Amino acid sequence: MSTFGPQIEVAIARVRADIARLHGELTANGLVVWTGGNV
């Protein structure tokens, strides 16, 4: 259970979505191979 307020929860969700999208860019551009490498 989270102890953050609603504004922080929204900010965290946005950052998570950005990270997921950017990770997709790494594989799409051949910068990592499938699960190789760390994000």
Side-chain angles (χ1 to χ4, degrees), residues 10-25 39:
V10 169
I12 290 170
R14 287 180 180 158
V15 169
R16 285 182 176 160
D18 285 343
I19 290 170
R21 180 183 53 78
L22 290 169
H23 184 260
E25 292 293 319
V39 175

